[in-house]
Amino acid sequence: MMPRMTAPTFEPKLASVAAVIADATRARMLCYLLAGEYASAGELARAASVSPATASGHLGKLMEAGLLMCEPRGRHRYYRLADDEVAHALEALSLMAERRTHQAEWANPTRQRLRFARCCYGHLAGQLGVELLSQLLAREWLSPMGDRFVLSALGKAGLEALGMKVDGFSKAGHTRSQRLAYRCLDWSERRDHMAGTLPKALLTHCLQKGWLRRVDGERALTVTPTGHLHLSNLLPSLNDL
């Protein structure tokens, strides 16, 4: 009797990607890059508390898994997350990992600055990020359109009053891979903040104006006195500080 043939077992790619992320050193590097900026191998080595030689091996594995991209600049190489999908996946894993300890984790005083405002792959997250989306919807600056938002005439005028150049943002012709604005579940608040090309441009504008300032070596953001002056009307919670 001929032996019964069995179909080859299908191994989800999730398993191989999860194995790469599961290493604590690589996880620290990925979380460091969630701010959305490029970082050198030396910076990532320090963030992960390993030697440069050890960091190099880990970076190679992250590149091979398609989680990072590298840009050579002269003699140096700079790394960032491959795309928004990687950032969203890492945020989702963080949410899942803390689902039973969420309240205790974020009640820790050492996390308060990160919880208040932080950079999430180029856009504003934390309590201010959640409030920003809420205010833009309440004021009808954004209008829902399927799984995304479009900028209304009110929103265009409001952002221009903040000094932003919004040419092109009022058009609905963004592709799914480059959406103007869409919901992104916030790691600390477990409510939606806003991701997309518009919120990235808005955060860049706030940083360039000096309204928000990055905390060195962290994802956290602080609001400057000038930022209070210009943003308190849009973000009423700043009046309580």
Side-chain angles (χ1 to χ4, degrees):
M1 183 176 179
M2 295 289 292
R4 186 175 182 179
M5 301 295 291
T6 58
T9 302
F10 171 74
E11 180 179 346
K13 290 186 177 180
L14 169 65
S16 59
V17 174
V20 174
I21 298 173
D23 179 88
T25 296
R26 294 193 286 271
R28 285 193 289 268
M29 290 177 169
L30 290 169
C31 287
Y32 184 85
L33 290 169
L34 268 172
E37 296 183 306
Y38 281 94
S40 67
E43 289 171 326
L44 292 170
R46 288 190 292 274
S49 299
V50 295
S51 69
T54 300
S56 179
H58 286 296
L59 289 169
K61 290 181 179 179
L62 290 168
M63 292 279 293
E64 185 178 350
L67 299 174
L68 298 187
M69 67 166 293
C70 178
E71 181 176 316
R73 296 182 184 176
R75 295 185 302 167
H76 301 284
R77 293 159 64 87
Y78 291 88
Y79 299 85
R80 70 169 176 84
L81 298 182
D83 51 39
D84 286 8
E85 289 185 352
V86 173
H88 293 325
L90 293 173
E91 286 276 317
L93 285 171
S94 298
L95 280 163
M96 184 182 69
E98 295 179 359
R99 65 190 185 280
R100 294 176 182 169
T101 60
H102 180 77
Q103 294 299 329
E105 294 278 358
W106 288 101
N108 190 320
T110 62
R111 278 193 167 189
Q112 291 308 298
R113 184 165 59 191
L114 190 66
R115 182 172 194 173
F116 175 65
R118 63 181 180 275
C119 185
C120 176
Y121 205 59
H123 56 263
L124 181 64
Q127 292 167 332
L128 280 191
V130 169
E131 183 182 7
L132 175 63
L133 175 58
S134 177
Q135 288 293 325
L136 294 185
L137 289 173
R139 296 171 188 228
E140 298 183 346
W141 288 19
L142 291 179
S143 302
M145 188 181 76
D147 63 349
R148 66 189 75 184
F149 302 111
V150 295
L151 186 64
S152 68
L154 282 173
K156 184 175 184 292
L159 293 178
E160 286 178 341
L162 290 173
M164 269 192 71
K165 295 180 179 179
V166 295
D167 292 341
F169 285 134
S170 56
K171 298 176 181 178
H174 284 66
T175 64
R176 182 171 181 83
S177 63
Q178 193 179 22
R179 288 173 287 179
L180 176 76
Y182 59 95
R183 295 182 185 275
C184 179
L185 186 60
D186 193 272
W187 173 28
S188 62
E189 304 312 293
R190 295 190 171 239
R191 294 168 56 201
D192 290 323
H193 62 242
M194 179 174 53
T197 56
L198 176 62
K200 285 185 177 181
L202 181 55
L203 178 56
T204 297
H205 180 71
C206 291
L207 290 168
Q208 290 175 344
K209 289 290 187 180
W211 300 345
L212 297 177
R213 182 177 297 137
R214 297 183 186 276
V215 178
D216 289 343
E218 299 182 23
R219 292 172 59 194
L221 299 166
T222 58
V223 183
T224 66
T226 306
H228 276 81
L229 180 65
H230 287 87
L231 296 173
S232 57
N233 184 53
L234 180 60
L235 301 171
S237 67
L238 294 180
N239 294 315
D240 299 329
L241 298 178

